Amino acid sequence: ERTIIEETPDSKELLVGYIARDRQSCRLVACNRESGAERTIIEEVSGDSDHSFVDCTNNKCSWRWLGGGKEIIHLSEIDGWCHLYVTSFSATEERRTRQLTTGKWVVRDIKRVQEEVPGGGRPGVWFTANGCVAGHDPYFIHLCWAPLASLDGKEGEEVK
């Protein structure tokens, strides 16, 4: 299980995962160790506080580093289904987020991120998911893989 507070790879900031008590929002905030300045990296807010909430159970508020701290891979239900997203982490550039997986099924957990693959294979992420195989019981948990596309716009779709 991932901790809710983590140091950045360059040790200049602390990442703090914040889950609102009413479960209406979940944020990942980077806090500068020297100045105390904060910046929001990821924020998910419930659209209807009377009928919905931000689900932070089962590692849904966890994240993994990519590119030596240049990006973060995380889970989000922003499209109505729990999927994988990559968000840039730069303090000087505009934050960009790209969706890695899509469909009417849910990602359960990130199992392994392979940025470098022996033999020149394609980098990707291994994860578990439900409902992703047509004709199978939607409650069965499947081990799945998705490619890691760069944020330069050459692959994947950028979301706002």
Side-chain angles (χ1 to χ4, degrees):
E1 187 164 331
R2 305 280 296 170
T3 181
I4 205 157
I5 298 176
E6 186 173 317
E7 189 174 66
T8 58
D10 64 7
S11 301
K12 293 181 180 179
E13 296 176 293
L14 289 177
L15 287 185
V16 179
Y18 169 77
I19 302 166
R21 179 175 249 168
D22 64 1
R23 301 281 191 201
Q24 295 302 304
S25 66
C26 179
R27 295 187 308 150
L28 182 61
V29 178
C31 303
N32 185 291
R33 296 183 109 173
E34 290 183 20
S35 69
E38 298 177 2
R39 61 188 178 97
T40 299
I41 306 302
I42 300 166
E43 183 169 33
E44 192 160 337
V45 179
S46 171
D48 180 359
S49 61
D50 291 333
H51 298 98
S52 67
F53 62 97
V54 176
D55 187 1
C56 299
T57 61
N58 300 324
N59 287 328
K60 287 184 182 170
C61 289
S62 66
W63 65 87
R64 305 274 177 100
W65 291 107
L66 293 174
K70 294 178 183 171
E71 301 171 326
I72 293 175
I73 186 168
H74 58 97
L75 300 174
S76 175
E77 292 184 356
I78 195 166
D79 72 348
W81 299 85
C82 188
H83 283 289
L84 293 170
Y85 291 79
V86 174
T87 298
S88 60
F89 188 73
S90 173
T92 57
E93 297 175 12
E94 179 183 351
R95 184 180 69 210
R96 296 184 297 167
T97 298
R98 180 179 40 74
Q99 190 169 359
L100 286 183
T101 58
T102 61
K104 293 183 177 183
W105 48 275
V106 296
V107 173
R108 303 274 305 208
D109 194 15
I110 299 169
K111 294 299 181 186
R112 182 175 181 192
V113 176
Q114 287 183 287
E115 292 187 80
E116 295 180 22
V117 181
R122 194 164 183 201
V125 57
W126 291 93
F127 59 93
T128 55
N130 291 93
C132 56
V133 179
H136 284 214
D137 185 323
Y139 294 100
F140 286 168
I141 298 174
H142 297 273
L143 181 62
C144 305
W145 180 87
L148 287 176
S150 63
L151 284 175
D152 61 11
K154 292 181 182 172
E155 296 183 59
E157 180 180 325
E158 190 168 307
V159 295
K160 304 241 181 223

